[in-house]
C-alpha cells in the first residue's frame, strides 16, 4: 500500500517537472533533479525508452505515439473483458477486469498527458507558422494535425473522463456491500468488515476501495482526478505564471482535503499519504523560488539537498510510527463497538416491553375501551367515604389519566365524583361499577 503511494507521488513529481520545463520554467538544480530522474520509470512512458525512430524507417512522431499509448490500453481492457466472459461461460471466476482497471488507473496520467499535449501549439513569425509543442515536426495547420486533434478529442472522453466515470459506476453497483452501515447503522465494525469482504469476494472491483473507510469508498476516484489535474489538465495553462498558480492551488487544496478527511482505515497509511503529498507542495514551492531567481549557485544546491533529505526523512518517520498508529486506530473502534452494542440492547429491551404491554392490554380486555394515547395507572386503596360492600371491605378504584374519562359513570357516581373529576385529574369509581362497565 505504501509502495503504491510512493509510486503515485513520484509519478506526479516527474510529470510536474517535465511540464514545468515545457512551459518555460527553470531547470531544477542537483541533487534534487537527479533524485527525480531516478524515478522516471514510474511514468510508464515506454515511447521515451524504446528507439522507435530507429525501428520505423518513416519516423515515429507524436501522432504515432498517441495511437500507441491509447490503443494498447484499450486492447488490454478488451482482452480482460473477453477472458472474464470466457471464464464465466465455464462457470469460473476471473479477476482479469479488476487487474486491468487497476493497471489502467496507474497508467492514466501518462496516457492523459500524451492526449493533452495534442492541443498545445505555439506560433512563430507573428503567427505565420504554428507547430506542436510536443513535436515541432508537426505543423498545426495541416490536415494530419486536424485529424490527430479530432482523435485526441475523442480519447479525452475515453480516458481522462471515461475511466473515472467507469470506476464510479462499478463501485456504485456494489455500494450496499462496500458501505453497509449506511443501510444498517446498528452494524458493528466486525459485521461491516465481514460484509465488505463478502462483497469484494463476489465483486473483486471493490478491492479498489478496500483501504478506505466505508463512507469514503469513492476516494480512489478523487485521487485519480487529483493526479490528472496536476499532470494533464495543467497543460491547458498558457503561461508559466498561470501554470505555477494552478499547480500551487490544486496541491494545497488537495493536501488540506486529505488532512481533514483522513479516508484510510489505517491511520499510519493516512499519515504516510499526507506526508507524500507534502512533497508535491514543496516541489512546487522550490520550482517557484528557482523561477524567481531567489536560489542560485551554492544556495540552490543547499536547498535542493535539504529538500531531498526532508523527503527521505518524511518517508522514514512514517514507517517508524506504524505500530503506534495501529494502536491508536483500535481505541476509537472499541468505543464505537461498545456504543453500538448498548444501543442494540436498549432497542431490544424497549421492543420487549412494548410487546408485553400490548399483551397485558389484550388480556384485560381494555384495548377497545381506552384510547391508545391515554396514559393511566390503576391503584386499589382502602375505602374512605364510600359505604362498605357486603364483604365489609368496599374496595374502590382510583383512576389517574391524562385525557378525558373514557367511559361514562352511573348517574349517582357522576354526581358524587363531579367535584373530583371536573379538573380532569382523578375519578373515583366503585369496584362494582367498574366491573359492570368492563
Amino acid at each position: 500500500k505504501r509502495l503504491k503511494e510512493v509510486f503515485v507521488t513520484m509519478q506526479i513529481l516527474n510529470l510536474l517537472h517535465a511540464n514545468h520545463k515545457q512551459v518555460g520554467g527553470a531547470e531544477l538544480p542537483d541533487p534534487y533533479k537527479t533524485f527525480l530522474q531516478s524515478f522516471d520509470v514510474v511514468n510508464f512512458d515506454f515511447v521515451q525508452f524504446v528507439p522507435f525512430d530507429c525501428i520505423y524507417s518513416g519516423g515515429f512522431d507524436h501522432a504515432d505515439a498517441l495511437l500507441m499509448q491509447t490503443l494498447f490500453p484499450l486492447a488490454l481492457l478488451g482482452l480482460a473483458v473477453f477472458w472474464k466472459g470466457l471464464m464465466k461461460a465455464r462457470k469460473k471466476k476471473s479477476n482479469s477486469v479488476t487487474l486491468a482497471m487497476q493497471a489502467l488507473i496507474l497508467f492514466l496520467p501518462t496516457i492523459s498527458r500524451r492526449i493533452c499535449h495534442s492541443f498545445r501549439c505555439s506560433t512563430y513569425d507573428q503567427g505565420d507558422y504554428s507547430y506542436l509543442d510536443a513535436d515541432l515536426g508537426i505543423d498545426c495547420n495541416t490536415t494530419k494535425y486536424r485529424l490527430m486533434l479530432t482523435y485526441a478529442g475523442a480519447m479525452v472522453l475515453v480516458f481522462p473522463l471515461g475511466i473515472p466515470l467507469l470506476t464510479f459506476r462499478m463501485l456504485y453497483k456494489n455500494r450496499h456491500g462496500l458501505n453497509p452501515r449506511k443501510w444498517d447503522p446498528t452494524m458493528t465494525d466486525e459485521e461491516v468488515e465481514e460484509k465488505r469482504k463478502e462483497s469484494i469476494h463476489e465483486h473483486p472491483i471493490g478491492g479498489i476501495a478496500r483501504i478506505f473507510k466505508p463512507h469514503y469508498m469513492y476516494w480512489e476516484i478523487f485521487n485519480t482526478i487529483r493526479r490528472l489535474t496536476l499532470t494533464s489538465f495543467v497543460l491547458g495553462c498558457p503561461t508559466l505564471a498561470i501554470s505555477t498558480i494552478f499547480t500551487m492551488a490544486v496541491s494545497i487544496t488537495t493536501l488540506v482535503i486529505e488532512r481533514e478527511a483522513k479516508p484510510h482505515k489505517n491511520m499510519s497509511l493516512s499519515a504516510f499519504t499526507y506526508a507524500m503529498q507534502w512533497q508535491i507542495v514543496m516541489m512546487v514551492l522550490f520550482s517557484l523560488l528557482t523561477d524567481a531567481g531567489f536560489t542560485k549557485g551554492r544556495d540552490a544546491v543547499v536547498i535542493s539537498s535539504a529538500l531531498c533529505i526532508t523527503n527521505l526523512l518524511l518517508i522514514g518517520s512514517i514507517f517508524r510510527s506504524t505500530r503506534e498508529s495501529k494502536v491508536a486506530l483500535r481505541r476509537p473502534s472499541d468505543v464505537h463497538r461498545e456504543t453500538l452494542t448498548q444501543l442494540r440492547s436498549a432497542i431490544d429491551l424497549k421492543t420487549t416491553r412494548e410487546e408485553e404491554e400490548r399483551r397485558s392490554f389484550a388480556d384485560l380486555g381494555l384495548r377497545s375501551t381506552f384510547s391508545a394515547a391515554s396514559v393511566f395507572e390503576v391503584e386499589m386503596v382502602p375505602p374512605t367515604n364510600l359505604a362498605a360492600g357486603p364483604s365489609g371491605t368496599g374496595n374502590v378504584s382510583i383512576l389517574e389519566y391524562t385525557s378525558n374519562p373514557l367511559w361514562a359513570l352511573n348517574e349517582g357516581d357522576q354526581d358524587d365524583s363531579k367535584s373530583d373529576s371536573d379538573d380532569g385529574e382523578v375519578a373515583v369509581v366503585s369496584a362494582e361499577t367498574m366491573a359492570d362497565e368492563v
Side-chain angles (χ1 to χ4, degrees):
K1 297 174 183 178
R2 292 174 177 80
L3 182 60
K4 178 184 175 182
E5 294 299 330
V6 172
F7 174 89
V8 168
T9 302
M10 297 313 301
Q11 187 183 61
I12 293 175
L13 292 176
N14 271 279
L15 296 180
L16 273 177
H17 183 216
N19 292 338
H20 181 257
K21 290 190 298 181
Q22 184 174 353
V23 295
E27 185 75 36
L28 295 179
D30 284 323
Y32 191 64
K33 182 179 72 174
T34 305
F35 173 76
L36 292 179
Q37 290 176 348
S38 63
F39 288 91
D40 277 344
V41 66
V42 300
N43 296 337
F44 288 112
D45 192 359
F46 54 88
V47 175
Q48 295 181 353
F49 301 103
V50 180
F52 288 104
D53 285 334
C54 299
I55 298 175
Y56 296 99
S57 59
F60 191 85
D61 57 10
H62 176 81
D64 299 322
L66 177 65
L67 288 173
M68 181 176 291
Q69 287 190 322
T70 54
L71 294 180
F72 179 76
L74 292 179
L76 179 64
L77 184 60
L79 183 62
V81 173
F82 172 77
W83 180 258
K84 182 178 181 179
L86 186 62
M87 291 294 100
K88 186 176 181 180
R90 298 179 180 179
K91 297 182 179 180
K92 297 180 180 180
K93 290 186 177 181
S94 174
N95 298 337
S96 58
V97 175
T98 301
L99 296 176
M101 284 295 298
Q102 291 176 344
L104 192 56
I105 290 175
L106 291 179
F107 302 157
L108 189 58
T110 300
I111 300 172
S112 299
R113 183 172 178 266
R114 176 70 66 176
I115 296 172
C116 292
H117 268 310
S118 303
F119 300 96
R120 288 185 61 94
C121 290
S122 297
T123 57
Y124 302 90
D125 292 342
Q126 298 180 354
D128 294 338
Y129 302 97
S130 179
Y131 295 98
L132 189 68
D133 288 349
D135 189 347
L136 296 177
I138 297 180
D139 189 348
C140 295
N141 296 320
T142 60
T143 303
K144 177 182 178 180
Y145 173 75
R146 284 190 283 269
L147 291 175
M148 185 188 71
L149 192 64
T150 303
Y151 178 79
M155 289 300 101
V156 169
L157 300 178
V158 174
F159 287 99
L161 300 180
I163 296 301
L165 289 176
L166 179 60
T167 305
F168 173 80
R169 180 180 178 275
M170 299 175 76
L171 292 177
Y172 182 78
K173 289 176 62 178
N174 304 325
R175 63 190 183 281
H176 293 280
L178 295 176
N179 188 16
R181 186 170 285 160
K182 182 177 180 180
W183 318 104
D184 185 5
T186 63
M187 294 182 69
T188 62
D189 289 345
E190 289 80 3
E191 293 172 340
V192 170
E193 191 63 26
E194 185 65 26
K195 183 69 174 178
R196 298 190 84 193
K197 289 181 179 179
E198 294 175 0
S199 177
I200 294 174
H201 179 74
E202 185 69 21
H203 306 282
I205 191 62
I208 297 176
R210 187 195 304 270
I211 63 175
F212 303 112
K213 299 174 184 177
H215 53 286
Y216 288 116
M217 55 176 288
Y218 300 112
W219 198 260
E220 185 63 34
I221 301 175
F222 171 80
N223 280 335
T224 302
I225 295 175
R226 176 180 67 91
R227 295 164 60 202
L228 292 176
T229 304
L230 289 172
T231 60
S232 303
F233 300 156
V234 67
L235 294 174
C237 300
T239 63
L240 176 62
I242 297 176
S243 175
T244 303
I245 294 174
F246 180 82
T247 53
M248 178 66 70
V250 173
S251 59
I252 292 178
T253 301
T254 54
L255 175 71
V256 173
I257 293 175
E258 180 76 28
R259 177 67 179 86
E260 295 300 321
K262 297 180 180 178
H264 298 84
K265 294 192 301 182
N266 191 317
M267 295 300 294
S268 65
L269 180 59
S270 182
F272 183 82
T273 304
Y274 178 65
M276 296 303 292
Q277 291 194 22
W278 260 112
Q279 294 191 48
I280 300 174
V281 176
M282 289 189 292
M283 186 265 186
V284 176
L285 289 173
F286 186 45
S287 300
L288 178 61
L289 293 175
T290 304
D291 293 335
F294 292 162
T295 55
K296 296 180 181 179
R298 182 179 299 177
D299 294 339
V301 175
V302 171
I303 296 176
S304 178
S305 302
L307 189 59
C308 291
I309 295 174
T310 302
N311 292 339
L312 294 175
L313 288 178
L314 284 172
I315 297 175
S317 64
I318 297 300
F319 278 109
R320 287 199 302 270
S321 62
T322 300
R323 180 174 299 179
E324 290 79 1
S325 299
K326 287 183 178 179
V327 173
L329 178 64
R330 296 192 187 100
R331 294 172 181 172
S333 176
D334 295 337
V335 176
H336 190 200
R337 187 184 304 109
E338 182 179 356
T339 303
L340 288 177
T341 303
Q342 294 176 355
L343 177 61
R344 179 174 291 178
S345 300
I347 293 175
D348 293 341
L349 180 60
K350 182 178 179 181
T351 303
T352 303
R353 288 180 177 177
E354 291 177 351
E355 184 65 25
E356 291 178 354
E357 290 178 358
R358 285 195 294 268
R359 290 178 180 176
S360 300
F361 284 127
D363 294 340
L364 292 174
L366 299 176
R367 192 166 191 171
S368 61
T369 305
F370 292 98
S371 169
S374 299
V375 180
F376 59 89
E377 296 179 1
V378 177
E379 180 183 3
M380 303 301 295
V381 298
T384 53
N385 298 329
L386 300 177
S391 60
T393 59
N395 293 337
V396 298
S397 174
I398 298 178
L399 175 66
E400 296 182 0
Y401 58 91
T402 60
S403 61
N404 292 329
L406 300 179
W407 67 70
L409 305 176
N410 294 332
E411 292 181 359
D413 295 328
Q414 291 178 356
D415 295 336
D416 295 338
S417 61
K418 183 176 182 181
S419 60
D420 294 328
S421 61
D422 284 344
D423 57 359
E425 294 296 336
V426 180
V428 181
V429 187
S430 66
E432 292 79 10
T433 302
M434 188 175 187
D436 292 341
E437 293 295 336
V438 172

